[in-house]
Each structure stands twice: as C-alpha cells, then as structure tokens.
Amino acid sequence: MLSHLRGTFCVLSAGVQRAWSSSSCLFMDPSSPGLVLQSQSTDVFQNLALEDWIDAHVDLQQRSILLLWRNRPAVVIGRHQNPWAECSLPAMRSAQVPVARRRSGGGTVYHDLGNLNLTFFASKKAYDRRRNLKVVTDALRRVRPQLDVQATDRLDILLNGQYKISGTASRLSRKSSYHHCTLLHSADRSAIATLLRPSCPGIRSNATPSVPSPVANLTDHAPSLQWEELLEAVVQQYSSEFGLTSASRCVDPADEVLFPGIGSMEAELCSWEWTFGKTPKFRVETQLELRDEQPVARCSAELQLEVKNGLVETCRVEVPAAWLPERLSASLAQALLGERFCPHRAAAALSTLLRCESGPLHGRLRNLCDVLVAAMG
Amino acid sequence: MAAVTRGSFSALRVLLTQQYRRRSFGPQNLRLSRTEPVPSRWAASLQTSCSRTLHTAMARHRPVVQFKLSDIGEGIMEVTVKEWYVKEGDRVSQFDSICEVQSDKASVTITSRYDGVIRRLYYDADATALVGKPLVDIETESASELSQEDVVETPAMAHEEHTHQEIKGHKTQATPAVRRLAMENNIKLSEVVGTGKDGRILKEDILNFLAKQTGAILPPAPLFQEIQTPGPAPVAAPPLSAPAGVRPPPATPRPVFTGKDVTEPLKGFHKAMVKTMTAALKIPHFGYCDEVDLSRLVLLRSELKPVAERRGVKLSYLPFFIKAASLSLLHFPILNSTLDEGCQNITFKASHNIGVAMDTSQGLLVPSVKSVQLLSVFQVAQELTRLQALGAAGQLGTAELSGGTFTLSNIGSIGGTYAKPVILPPEVAIGALGKIQVLPRFDPDGQVKAAHIMKVSWSADHRLIDGATMCRFSNLWREYLENPASMVLDLK
C-alpha cells in the first residue's frame, strides 16, 4: 500500500509506519527487494550526504532504491565544474542561496521547492538510465495523458519537444551506481536567469561546461497537477516497472542513528575544500579599468591569474608604469599568491598590505585593490 | 593446538617455498630468510651480488601489470580523465581510488584492483581515455595478486596466525601492508574489527586495537617502502588493558606524526602581515596603562540593553568605549592623525574611523566604524553588529578593512589585563582593553566595595605624541566611562 501524502511533504500513514531503530532494519528487510524513500529534509547538503551514505553503505546487489527529495533554493554544480564560471557567487550571497558540488558529473542546476529530485540506486550491473527515465515519462503520461514528454539521447526529458523539464547525472563506484535526475514541477525560473551566470569575467577553463536549455515547469502546461499527485504517480510507476511491492517511507537524513556517519559526510560536502577546492585548474584573463577622481584620469591594466585547487597559483597585474611603479603593482599581485580565489580573502590581504604603502600614490593603489577584488567575483 | 598448527605451518611452508622458488620472486625469499635458512639456490646469488644489483635483479622479477579501463556500461567507449588521485611512484592498495573519469554526465571512480606501486599514467588530466585500453601500469608484489576477480587476498608471507586462519576457512580482508603491521605487533586479525568497506581491516583498526591493549596511543608504524627488518614487538602481549587509574585518551583527530619538521612558505595574508608588522615596529612606541572603574557603566548598560534589543541590536560595552574615544579625540586631534612617509608633514584626519580588532578564522582583521563623531552610541552598536556578522562569515571587504584612523583592541573578550599593543600604520595610536573583573576598591568613604575594573593599555607614536598628551586623553576617556552621564553633556 502506498502512503498518502498530505499538507507537508511527508506524513506516514498508520498502516505503513514501522519503527526502525537502526539502518539494518530498514535496509536489510528481505521482504522488500525494492525500497522507495522520501527525504524529510530540504537542506541540499543533508540530502546529498544521504545519497552518498546510501551509495556507500547499502548493499545494492540485492535491492534497488528510489530516493525522492527536494531542496530549499540552492545551486548544485557537477563534480568537475567550475563554480565561478557556472553561477554568480555575489548574487547568490545576497540572495542567501548556497552552492553545493555533487559527486556525480554533468551540469549545473538550480533547485528549489518546486523541483523534484529522483535518485535511482542500483548495482552496477543493473545500471540503466533509460529505463529509469522511462519510469518518469510513463508516470507523467499516466496522470496527464495529454502531455508530450520524451526522453532525448542526452537523457534530458523534453516537454512538447522543446522545453527541458528534467536533466540527468550519474555516478558509478566500484560495485554500485546511482542515477539522479531533476523534474521541474513549479520552480522559480526567474531566479535561474539571475543566478546562473558567471561570477567574474575572463574565466578560461576546461571544466565541464553547462549546456543551457530553455526550461519549463510542468505546471505551466498542466496547471492542475499537484505535487502529491506527481509523487504518487512516480512511486507507483517505479514499483510496476521494476516489479516491486515497495511502500514509500520517510527518512530524516539528520538521523545519525539510522545513518551512522552521515554527519561527517555532510560536513565534507559543506566544506570549502570540496565545493571550491575541487575545481579543475583555470585561468582568469581580464582587463581592469583604473581611474583617478581628482583630476579625472583613466587607465587600463591587465590581470592574469591561474587558480589551482581554488588557490591563486600565479598572478600578474600589468599596469602601465606611468600610472603606478611596477614595484607597487607587483607587490599587490604577490599578496594574492597562495590565498583562496575569493574576494574577501583578497580584501584582507590587500588591505593589510595597503597599510605599508602610504604616500601620494596611495589613492591609485587603493583603487587598484578595489578593482582587483571586484574581478574575483 | 599449537603443535598442530606448527606442524601444518611447516608443511605449508615447504609448499610455499617450493612455489616461490619456482616463480623466483626475490622479496619473498628475503623475507623468508629471516624465519628459516635461505634456500641454497638463492644463497649463492645473495653472496655474489652487492645489495643494489640484488635489488634491481629482484625488481626485474616484479611483474608490472597493465591495468585496463574496464567497461562502464551503456556502450560507452571513451571517457575523459578528470582528476588523478595518484602519481607515478605512489603506492596503492587494492580498492584505493586511482582517478575520476567522466562520460556523458556519469562520473566514475576507478579503483585499483591490485596492490603495488604506480609506474606509469597513460593519460593526463582532461585527456580522453579509451575503454579496454591500459590506464595505469602497476608494479605488483607477487603473482598471487594478479588474479582478475576481486577475491580476498592471500597473505604474501606464511605466518602462523594467518595460515591458521586460512585453514579454518575464516577469511579476513586486509592488504599485505596491514597484515604485516598486524604480524609485527603479534595481533590476530580475527580479533580486530574491520571498519573498512565490506568489513576490511584497515591500518587504523590495528592501531586502535593496539591502543586499547596498551592503554596508550602509539605512533603509526611506517609503511615499509622497501624491505626492512621489522621493529621489535611492543610490550602489548599480555594486555595492560585499561588499568584502574589510566583513562583512555580523549578522541582527538590523529595528527600525521612523521617526527619531522614541516616547512611551508608564507603566502597571501600572512605575508602581508609580515610586511605590515615590520613597518609597524619601526614606529617608536611608548606605552601608557591605566584602570577604569566601570561600575556605573555596567548599571547603565543593563538598563539600556532591553531598549536596544527591542530595536533589534545587541548592546555590548564596546559601543560605549568607541564613542567615548571619539569624544576624547575631539579634544586631542593629534591622536587621530597620520605622519607622511618622509616624516615631513602631519595630517590631522577629520573623520574618526575607529578600527575594531577582530579575531577571525583568517587571522587578525581590523574593520573600522566610519565617522564615529557623527554617530550615536546606538548607531555605533548597529554598525558593530554588521561588521561582526561579516567578520564571522569571512565576508569583510576593502571598504570595511581600510580607512581606519584609530584602533581599539578588545582583547579582554578573550582574556587578559594589560597588553602591549602594536600600532597599525598609518595610524599613530592604539588601545588594548582588558577583561572586566570585579575587584575590591575603596569608595570615597573609605569602605571596601566591589568595583567592575577594566585595564587599558595605550601605545602611541612617540615622534608625534608625548606622554602627557596620552595621559590626558586617557583621563578624559576614563572620565566619560566612569561617569557615563557626562557623555550626555557633550552630545551634539
């Protein structure tokens, strides 16, 4: 029997509720070779940690799992992507939207409460992404037969042949695999335009680029489709496609008893070293506009930075010698070496250095500092 | 029981030595030589060759395996190598991650099938790798590791305990390096709880087991890079397990103890601090200290705290200290000035931008509250709250961090009484505020009462400022704080 969902995202109905005190009860139950889980959390890091935990600890040779989850607004980048190139970190800071790096490959997505995430866990042998997407498209066709939804070769799901409503990414480990995809039910599309643009100009990198596509929400074309209805349809379709008689269960990713060790997985996913430090090496090459206020004067300078593991590895600032002596601009560039590629770290280092350099050129130096910090996103 | 095992051990030993002789693997023979007489065939070669050529002669016999990129399903023929976790010369164990590859939105972690040393990487990062073609070359240690399936490893050495376990049919998963460590410390693998994947026994498990036995944390035994004689077994044998007085040490993250000095270059912010502090100490400093009786201020603050909270701001003592400093600077503008580089001119700064030293995760940062002469105590408190939030989030920008003209360092919030603060160029004065302590003092009637006393330590640039000026400034500042009502008289 499937549980009915009301009001808040997840409520357990009495018939299906089971008290499980440890993960072994939940995952080793021989009576259900398949399992459908719904996460109670809307924190992107907790949910990603839950995915990691299931991938690492559950024996997927015997069973498959479908995990349903959604997050409060967040931007999720792929494993090998460059967060500075994919999203505008200043805009995200002011909107208080976090950025998270997932462990699977692929491109950048914007998550909010109107976006459903589905993760299909299976053994490496049972890894079949098309079959998983078929579950989603069949479920949609069943509840709204008039919707034209098709999975493409790139494993996107297109609505009416042109709007992307779902994107896919996956991860293969030694014995297990997971394939997750998004499904846009009623997400805030205006946020996507504001947030998913580069943080600073001039980034040159080999990181996996995102392929932007026009997107649409399911509710734009089927306004009567309720969230709970969508969930139930997907769960039913999963069960019938894989021949499983699983009931859907709610889990709390913050429960350390049910998922021992999940706290440290979450901490790793939040850490700067994972989110930014794992960025493949990239360069920043851009022009800087310098100006004097009194009298008004202008000058162009060039900035060339190389960033490895999120830290500034080399930095060259070429300012015309007539504007600032080379010694001064070189000392500013030197101050950035070894620091994180971050405007605040740069501000701290440069402000400290500025204290030593007082004199008639102090104003121009100050201006150069401000411009350098602005170029770092 | 022991007799039976020993008997079977020697039988196996004979079998194994024959096997090893046939396969001519040098390292095993050297190891066996410690536990039994060296087989004669090898004794000759040991005597005639010097150790280096012997090593190379044996190295030639170590098989180098081409580890091919296995099929990842869905008919995918090529992938992009995204990140290497190893480099040439690194030692890997079975199941260690070697690299990340990506194909078609799938991210795959490739793990090693063998133990050994990486000898060659076939691709650079961002290169395209082909499925079925070699990915890395691994120099393995023995033929038994060449098996294609993920089976439990057989130990490279035939030692009593391990053989016994195999005979009994109890297979424990652990790499040869871990088994070596266990053997040297006389630990039965069957007694160790494995915490690795699929219950594998990791090096940490052996060390934890040892720690429990001796009641102490032992430094991790070095992983042998080449053949070495094993160290003497520690006194672990009959467990001194948790004698009454010894409590297990608290669980701190285990530092990597190499016993060597570690040198790192200074970079970024710290390098800039070196420059600034060197410039700072070129300023001739003099110090002046005093104590302030804050009893009345403590009362005033407790009255005003709920009012401020209703307006959404947490009121501490610092806004009062900052505002009192600004009021005093109006009478002693020389303390809010700066000296130019050639020491030719002094500039009296109009704005009182009072810096507040903050201890952040990055180090000492000094954001400043701008134009305090125009702000009320409440406004100073608001601005301080904003700066503290930014500081905690690591988000202070150049606007906040530059332009200061005078600094207060509230070191007392962490602790301390008197200090010797260093002036931050291009300023000419700084004050360090100690902890507020309740101490006995005499009141005007000669009675002992409890007073809230805070110590303050000023430093100033003696090229511009003399002791008398500093003293008068400090007295004025102190009067404002000891009689907060007098601040009302000078409100603008």
Side-chain angles (χ1 to χ4, degrees):
Chain A
M1 284 304 292
L2 299 162
S3 55
H4 292 278
L5 309 148
R6 268 172 239 112
T8 54
F9 184 42
C10 176
V11 163
L12 292 166
S13 70
V16 199
Q17 182 168 2
R18 274 198 222 184
W20 45 86
S21 54
S22 72
S23 50
S24 54
C25 301
L26 180 59
F27 292 110
M28 309 297 196
D29 182 1
S31 68
S32 53
L35 203 50
V36 177
L37 299 175
Q38 292 181 35
S39 171
Q40 286 175 337
S41 168
T42 52
D43 178 290
V44 61
F45 300 104
Q46 279 185 353
N47 286 324
L48 288 174
L50 180 58
E51 271 190 332
D52 278 351
W53 192 95
I54 295 176
D55 186 46
H57 291 97
V58 178
D59 181 8
L60 292 164
Q61 308 303 318
Q62 316 298 335
R63 64 191 329 115
S64 311
I65 299 179
L66 170 64
L67 175 68
L68 299 169
W69 45 294
R70 65 174 172 174
N71 299 318
R72 291 190 297 275
V75 169
V76 181
I77 61 175
R79 171 71 174 83
H80 304 289
Q81 290 201 299
N82 183 326
W84 291 279
E86 297 297 330
C87 54
S88 169
L89 295 169
M92 287 169 59
R93 269 193 287 275
S94 41
Q96 303 209 317
V97 172
V99 61
R101 180 188 296 270
R102 57 177 190 266
R103 292 194 192 268
S104 56
T108 300
V109 278
Y110 171 73
H111 285 194
D112 69 11
L113 293 171
N115 168 58
L116 174 64
N117 296 304
L118 304 97
T119 309
F120 299 86
F121 292 91
S123 68
K124 220 161 155 179
K125 295 195 178 70
Y127 175 67
D128 186 347
R129 292 182 291 183
R130 291 200 180 280
R131 196 176 177 200
N132 298 333
L133 289 181
K134 187 162 171 295
V135 166
V136 179
T137 49
D138 286 351
L140 285 172
R141 282 195 205 110
R142 212 154 47 77
V143 289
R144 292 287 182 279
Q146 78 276 21
L147 281 179
D148 168 23
V149 284
Q150 288 284 348
T152 66
D153 289 334
R154 280 191 70 239
L155 301 171
D156 295 336
I157 299 182
L158 292 184
L159 181 62
N160 297 345
Q162 47 173 178
Y163 297 111
K164 182 170 165 180
I165 54 167
S166 164
T168 269
S170 55
R171 173 158 175 74
L172 292 145
S173 316
R174 201 164 57 85
K175 287 200 178 133
S176 57
S177 73
Y178 63 80
H179 160 221
H180 52 203
C181 60
T182 54
L183 190 55
L184 285 174
H185 175 265
S186 49
D188 176 8
R189 284 190 288 143
S190 61
I192 298 179
T194 336
L195 300 178
L196 295 187
R197 54 165 79 166
S199 300
C200 43
I203 297 182
R204 315 230 182 289
S205 93
N206 287 332
T208 317
S210 287
V211 178
S213 329
V215 294
N217 283 313
L218 281 169
T219 48
D220 293 341
H221 295 260
S224 58
L225 181 63
Q226 295 297 314
W227 180 265
E228 292 79 4
E229 206 184 331
L230 177 63
L231 277 173
E232 217 173 286
V234 167
V235 175
Q236 265 189 6
Q237 194 63 33
Y238 179 76
S239 305
S240 65
E241 170 73 32
F242 287 88
L244 311 167
T245 50
S246 50
S248 116
R249 299 174 191 183
C250 274
V251 287
D252 176 13
D255 187 346
E256 200 60 44
V257 171
L258 197 54
F259 306 111
I262 200 171
S264 58
M265 285 177 159
E266 189 194 330
E268 199 199 332
L269 287 166
C270 293
S271 70
W272 185 92
E273 285 72 23
W274 172 257
T275 314
F276 295 98
K278 284 287 182 184
T279 309
K281 193 165 172 181
F282 67 97
R283 297 178 62 83
V284 175
E285 288 169 4
T286 183
Q287 293 273 358
L288 302 172
E289 297 305 323
L290 303 172
R291 44 184 302 136
D292 260 352
E293 293 305 319
Q294 276 142 7
V296 174
R298 281 219 176 97
C299 173
S300 258
E302 268 199 32
L303 171 66
Q304 286 166 16
L305 275 176
E306 274 179 16
V307 180
K308 188 174 166 191
N309 298 333
L311 304 175
V312 175
E313 203 178 37
T314 69
C315 176
R316 266 181 46 219
V317 180
E318 280 169 14
V319 183
W323 187 263
L324 270 181
E326 206 210 299
R327 165 188 79 82
L328 287 179
S329 38
S331 71
L332 284 193
Q334 281 282 313
L336 294 176
L337 289 183
E339 276 295 346
R340 293 184 182 175
F341 182 70
C342 164
H344 306 115
R345 294 277 167 141
L350 293 175
S351 315
T352 310
L353 198 63
L354 268 184
R355 288 185 179 275
C356 310
E357 311 283 356
S358 52
L361 294 172
H362 184 86
R364 285 187 176 178
L365 262 182
R366 171 81 200 273
N367 175 238
L368 178 58
C369 283
D370 290 337
V371 163
L372 267 176
V373 167
M376 292 171 80
Chain B
M1 199 58 167
V4 169
T5 49
R6 235 171 257 127
S8 32
F9 168 62
S10 49
L12 257 167
R13 199 206 302 160
V14 171
L15 279 173
L16 281 164
T17 48
Q18 284 174 348
Q19 186 189 41
Y20 284 133
R21 253 185 244 166
R22 245 179 266 126
R23 303 233 180 144
S24 334
F25 285 125
Q28 271 57 45
N29 282 288
L30 242 201
R31 272 186 232 136
L32 283 170
S33 74
R34 277 185 249 104
T35 55
E36 55 160 25
V38 175
S40 55
R41 203 175 302 179
W42 287 97
S45 46
L46 274 172
Q47 283 157 13
T48 50
S49 327
C50 74
S51 57
R52 190 185 280 265
T53 52
L54 184 66
H55 186 73
T56 24
M58 291 192 289
R60 253 188 269 128
H61 292 291
R62 273 201 216 134
V64 173
V65 181
Q66 279 187 339
F67 177 43
K68 298 197 174 82
L69 180 57
S70 52
D71 183 25
I72 29 183
E74 291 190 341
I76 290 169
M77 295 315 297
E78 47 181 53
V79 297
T80 315
V81 177
K82 279 298 191 179
E83 191 179 334
W84 283 106
Y85 294 128
V86 296
K87 50 187 193 300
E88 289 174 16
D90 279 354
R91 180 164 278 270
V92 290
S93 312
Q94 192 183 27
F95 310 141
D96 280 356
S97 299
I98 290 191
C99 63
E100 277 291 314
V101 301
Q102 183 169 263
S103 91
D104 189 27
K105 306 184 208 178
S107 184
V108 189
T109 307
I110 308 290
T111 54
S112 174
R113 207 176 283 137
Y114 314 110
D115 280 355
V117 178
I118 303 281
R119 282 292 168 224
R120 183 178 163 192
L121 303 180
Y122 280 80
Y123 302 101
D124 291 327
D126 286 331
T128 306
L130 299 171
V131 170
K133 295 276 181 286
L135 188 64
V136 290
D137 280 346
I138 301 181
E139 183 185 302
T140 61
E141 290 175 3
S142 77
S144 60
E145 299 182 30
L146 290 179
S147 66
Q148 290 296 311
E149 308 135 42
D150 288 346
V151 293
V152 170
E153 296 159 82
T154 51
M157 298 185 278
H159 184 265
E160 197 173 309
E161 299 296 342
H162 303 266
T163 321
H164 187 213
Q165 284 158 23
E166 274 195 81
I167 292 168
K168 276 200 159 181
H170 166 63
K171 293 186 198 278
T172 42
Q173 266 193 313
T175 65
V178 171
R179 288 175 188 271
R180 214 177 295 143
L181 183 64
M183 189 202 76
E184 275 138 24
N185 292 299
N186 289 326
I187 293 175
K188 284 194 204 159
L189 284 183
S190 50
E191 286 175 18
V192 181
V193 177
T195 57
K197 200 165 177 181
D198 303 327
R200 277 175 86 205
I201 297 174
L202 306 173
K203 193 170 58 124
E204 283 77 7
D205 301 324
I206 306 281
L207 291 170
N208 287 336
F209 184 81
L210 269 177
K212 281 196 209 109
Q213 282 199 317
T214 60
I217 291 186
L218 302 167
L223 267 183
F224 300 109
Q225 295 297 324
E226 58 216 356
I227 310 324
Q228 292 175 16
T229 48
V235 196
L240 314 164
S241 48
V246 176
R247 281 185 318 150
T252 43
R254 196 187 293 276
V256 177
F257 182 73
T258 57
K260 285 192 225 149
D261 296 340
V262 178
T263 308
E264 289 174 353
L266 273 183
K267 289 187 171 175
F269 174 70
H270 298 286
K271 208 164 173 191
M273 272 301 266
V274 167
K275 240 184 142 186
T276 308
M277 287 295 118
T278 311
L281 279 184
K282 290 198 183 116
I283 303 173
H285 283 55
F286 77 92
Y288 174 84
C289 304
D290 203 355
E291 68 170 45
V292 189
D293 185 345
L294 295 178
S295 308
R296 289 207 189 119
L297 184 64
V298 168
L299 283 175
L300 178 66
R301 180 189 159 243
S302 59
E303 282 173 19
L304 292 177
K305 203 167 161 209
V307 178
E309 262 168 25
R310 277 198 295 274
R311 295 194 205 168
V313 166
K314 193 167 166 233
L315 188 67
S316 60
Y317 295 106
L318 199 46
F320 293 100
F321 300 151
I322 293 173
K323 187 60 185 172
S326 171
L327 289 172
S328 313
L329 284 172
L330 288 172
H331 296 272
F332 297 95
I334 195 165
L335 287 159
N336 197 56
S337 63
T338 183
L339 198 55
D340 71 0
E341 260 179 24
C343 301
Q344 298 293 323
N345 298 305
I346 175 172
T347 309
F348 295 92
K349 294 285 190 185
S351 234
H352 300 165
N353 298 337
I354 299 192
V356 179
M358 270 186 203
D359 176 41
T360 65
S361 53
Q362 217 186 325
L364 172 70
L365 294 180
V366 189
S368 46
V369 181
K370 306 288 192 289
S371 300
V372 178
Q373 77 278 10
L374 300 173
L375 299 178
S376 65
V377 171
F378 179 74
Q379 286 167 325
V380 172
Q382 270 180 324
E383 179 62 6
L384 254 187
T385 314
R386 186 186 78 90
L387 290 175
Q388 277 160 348
L390 286 178
Q395 289 180 7
L396 289 166
T398 39
E400 287 91 28
L401 291 171
S402 51
T405 58
F406 185 86
T407 301
L408 283 179
S409 172
N410 191 13
I411 193 70
S413 60
I414 305 175
T417 49
Y418 293 107
K420 206 168 169 267
V422 175
I423 302 170
L424 294 168
E427 296 164 22
V428 294
I430 184 170
L433 311 170
K435 228 176 14 201
I436 303 179
Q437 297 169 296
V438 180
L439 298 170
R441 290 285 180 271
F442 287 104
D443 67 7
D445 306 322
Q447 302 299 312
V448 175
K449 68 168 173 56
H452 292 83
I453 303 290
M454 180 182 77
K455 317 277 203 282
V456 59
S457 317
W458 302 103
S459 292
D461 183 339
H462 217 330
R463 298 171 295 184
L464 284 183
I465 299 162
D466 54 35
T469 311
M470 195 70 233
C471 175
R472 291 192 189 104
F473 168 84
S474 176
N475 288 346
L476 182 56
W477 182 77
R478 199 189 62 201
E479 272 164 34
Y480 280 128
L481 293 174
E482 289 184 343
N483 302 299
S486 63
M487 284 169 84
V488 177
L489 275 181
D490 291 331
L491 280 178
K492 284 200 215 273

